[in-house]
Structures are given as structure tokens and as C-alpha cells.
Amino acid sequence: MSKIETLVDEGFRVSLIETAFFDGKFEIPHIDAPKDIVVPSGLVPFSRRQRSRDKQDFVCFYEHDVKFREILTHTEDYVEELKQYPGVISPDCSLYIDAPLCVQIASIYLNRAVGYYLSKQGIYVIPNIRWGDERTYTDELLGEKVAFQGVDKHSIVSIGTYGQIRTAESKRYFREGLIAMLDELEPKVVLVYGAMPDTIFHGLETITEFVQYPDWTTRMKQKNIMYKSSVEHI
């Protein structure tokens, strides 16, 4: 375990980004785009990673932050284990739309800092893109779209709808942020963990290639249904 000397290092993991390049006025760590685009065969949440069959899934963090706190505070301890999987989606640190802007920016920073460090250890990392309120995905207040800093254009990114689009307000923020992300990053492939309702994705299908993955609960239900169906036909 690495030595933590200050509260700043513990909270913001500055030791992870000693060799990083930074983007924008907030100096968000930059995650280089992978040389080749690899589309995962499946996604498994960090807390469920041991249930990935033959470790063929990419590890993702589309679950409550508490369940992946350790990857943020003790990233170094998980490198060798994560190397057993085909790749990782950078952490989906929560950006609550009612949180102070500094907190939202801090979550974007941690996403990139951990993703950068894992990529430098030889792990295939796909950047997770998460935005909060309009201050993070427009340039009206900050002069830049901070939610998209630290990520290369014209590559592969990932987003999660699971648990993020429950209200009319959250749906509005999600669609607006998604449109802004597509305009800013022009990704070739966008992975989507969770549902893709028409209220959010209508009219966007032709802009890029979306690849959808069921959330873990839905995936397990589908697996059980398929198993029961196969047993009934024996």
C-alpha cells in the first residue's frame, strides 16, 4: 500500500498523476485514447467482478460510490487483479446536480486520475463520461466544458444511465449533457450501461455507434430466464 502523507493526497490521489498531462483551466488529468477501439463483450460492476465468467468482462463502476471507494483510495493495490480482465471503464464518481460545482469538478478529476493511472500500468482504459448540471457540460460559466476535459476526441467512451434518469429533471440534464458530449468529443463508439429510452436517445442514434449493456441486475435476471427456459426444454 502506498504511503499517504496528507489529507489532500488521500482525497485527491495526487500521487497517481505525477507524470500526467492536464487539460483545461482546472488541469484535469488526460487519459490517452487507446490505439485500437475494443468493444467489451460485457460489463461487470467492480463489486461483482468475481462473478465475471472467466474474467471476460470489462470492469466498470456503475454502482453506488461506496462499493468502489477502495479503488479511489488504494488504486495501486488493485492493479494486478484488474490486469486479469480485458479492460476497465474509468470510475463513475457521482456528480449530483444539486452539489456545489467544486464537488462536481472534483468527481470528474478523480475519474480521470484513476483512469490515467490504470492506463499507465498497461490496463486498457475506456473513459467514463459523467456530467452534472449545465455548468459542467456547457461553457457559459466556466468558459469550457469541464465534464469532457481529459478525454481525446474521435475514440471510444462510456456512459451509464442506470440510476441516473429517474426524474424528469434528471432526464433533461442527461439528454442535454449527452448531446453536448457528442458534439464536443465526436466519439466513434459510445458504450451505454443501462436503459436507452427514446426520451433521451431519440434522434441521436445516427450520430455515433451506441453499444448497450444491461445493468447487472437485469443481466442476471435474463440469465436466469434463459437457464429456466433451457431446463424446461430438456
Side-chain angles (χ1 to χ4, degrees):
M1 183 180 298
S2 61
K3 183 179 179 182
I4 296 175
E5 297 181 349
T6 69
L7 182 61
V8 170
D9 189 48
E10 181 180 26
F12 291 96
R13 303 309 323 279
V14 294
S15 61
L16 301 180
I17 55 171
E18 292 176 349
T19 60
F21 289 96
F22 304 98
D23 288 345
K25 62 180 64 176
F26 292 98
E27 299 187 349
I28 302 298
H30 187 93
I31 302 174
D32 289 337
K35 293 182 179 179
D36 299 304
I37 291 180
V38 175
V39 176
S41 60
L43 300 180
V44 60
F46 179 74
S47 67
R48 303 284 186 173
R49 62 192 183 281
Q50 300 300 335
R51 296 183 62 181
S52 175
R53 185 175 180 179
D54 299 324
K55 293 183 171 60
Q56 292 301 305
D57 297 303
F58 271 54
V59 176
C60 69
F61 300 87
Y62 297 115
E63 52 186 343
H64 197 289
D65 300 51
V66 172
K67 294 185 177 181
F68 59 82
R69 181 181 185 277
E70 290 297 310
I71 196 68
L72 303 179
T73 58
H74 300 99
T75 314
E76 301 90 340
D77 296 344
Y78 292 91
V79 170
E80 293 307 314
E81 179 186 355
L82 291 176
K83 284 183 177 180
Q84 300 175 39
Y85 297 83
V88 170
I89 310 298
S90 65
D92 186 50
C93 304
S94 293
L95 271 73
Y96 300 105
I97 58 177
D98 58 350
L101 181 57
C102 62
V103 175
Q104 297 185 49
I105 295 173
S107 291
I108 295 168
Y109 162 85
L110 283 173
N111 170 327
R112 308 292 196 269
V114 173
Y116 166 80
Y117 179 80
L118 294 178
S119 69
K120 288 304 176 183
Q121 307 311 306
I123 295 173
Y124 189 97
V125 175
I126 296 175
N128 171 65
I129 310 299
R130 182 82 176 266
W131 49 90
D133 62 36
E134 62 273 354
R135 295 174 296 176
T136 64
Y137 59 78
T138 71
D139 57 10
E140 294 179 3
L141 176 65
L142 302 177
E144 62 185 33
K145 302 173 183 178
V146 66
F148 315 131
Q149 296 288 351
V151 178
D152 284 326
K153 293 185 176 184
H154 310 131
S155 187
I156 181 171
V157 298
S158 184
I159 61 174
T161 62
Y162 181 63
Q164 305 305 315
I165 52 174
R166 295 173 177 170
T167 67
E169 182 182 38
S170 62
K171 287 183 174 69
R172 176 177 69 82
Y173 279 121
F174 199 98
R175 179 174 171 84
E176 288 181 0
L178 176 58
I179 291 172
M181 186 272 284
L182 295 174
D183 180 65
E184 182 75 11
L185 298 181
E186 300 177 356
K188 293 182 178 179
V189 179
V190 178
L191 312 182
V192 182
Y193 182 88
M196 292 182 61
D198 287 342
T199 52
I200 292 175
F201 289 86
H202 177 70
L204 305 179
E205 303 91 339
T206 60
I207 296 178
T208 188
E209 177 185 357
F210 288 101
V211 182
Q212 184 181 15
Y213 300 85
D215 64 81
W216 185 256
T217 300
T218 301
R219 179 178 173 181
M220 291 300 99
K221 288 181 179 178
Q222 293 174 344
K223 180 179 179 181
N224 290 334
I225 291 174
M226 292 177 62
Y227 174 75
K228 290 180 181 179
S229 178
S230 63
V231 170
E232 291 174 355
H233 285 80
I234 294 179

